[in-house]
Amino acid sequence: MSHGFTTRTLDITTGTSEAVYDLTRECASFLADVAEGRDGLLNVFAPHATMGVALIETGAGSDGDLLTALHHLLPADERWQHRHGSRGHGRDHVLPAIVPPHATLPVISGELALGTWQSVCLVDTNKDNANRQVRLSFLG
């Protein structure tokens, strides 16, 4: 039996430097409030043109490795046609094509069904905007 669709918007401060922000606890808290032990899907959506959602191991250096890889792929320099904001900001607008601004994840018995080392993370390379929102939606 489905109880429908529930959404919560979170206000997140990612800071004024590039960040991989672990959102896993916020996802688990949301599911504890709304899933009531049901199976379903959790959608995580960042309604921003310069941020992505990634599943990645955190705390063992992978988050820093991801930012380093993005620097190699998307250098913060003057090559970008999109030129407002801080130096190289145009790359921030290309980021969501590589790290999509959403993820849909399985929920089993009311809990997020992640792999052992997976965390749900926001990837924010935009130093000009520290105040972000994330929409969590549960369908189950």
Side-chain angles (χ1 to χ4, degrees):
M1 175 169 87
S2 174
H3 292 288
F5 186 78
T6 305
T7 296
R8 178 179 296 165
T9 301
L10 305 176
D11 293 314
I12 305 288
T13 302
T14 56
T16 56
S17 60
E18 297 177 357
V20 175
Y21 179 94
D22 191 339
L23 193 64
T24 309
R25 283 190 193 123
E26 288 93 333
C27 292
S29 177
F30 171 66
L31 291 172
D33 291 345
V34 303
E36 300 172 342
R38 297 188 316 267
D39 292 353
L41 296 171
L42 173 68
N43 182 264
V44 181
F45 177 67
H48 298 281
T50 59
M51 189 164 64
V53 176
L55 297 182
I56 189 169
E57 178 182 6
T58 59
S62 297
D63 34 358
D65 289 342
L66 174 58
L67 292 176
T68 298
L70 290 172
H71 275 277
H72 289 294
L73 289 170
L74 305 170
D77 58 22
E78 300 305 323
R79 73 184 67 203
W80 308 101
Q81 293 179 40
H82 187 106
R83 293 200 180 212
H84 75 86
S86 61
R87 183 176 187 269
H89 176 65
R91 79 178 191 117
D92 300 330
H93 287 275
V94 175
L95 174 75
I98 295 170
V99 182
H102 59 86
T104 301
L105 308 166
V107 176
I108 307 296
S109 300
E111 295 187 9
L112 200 51
L114 294 173
T116 302
W117 303 111
Q118 288 180 314
S119 295
V120 181
C121 296
L122 301 176
V123 180
D124 190 2
T125 60
N126 183 355
K127 300 180 219 176
D128 298 336
N129 186 0
N131 300 314
R132 303 305 206 138
Q133 288 190 331
V134 176
R135 290 190 192 117
L136 303 178
S137 301
F138 175 69
L139 177 63

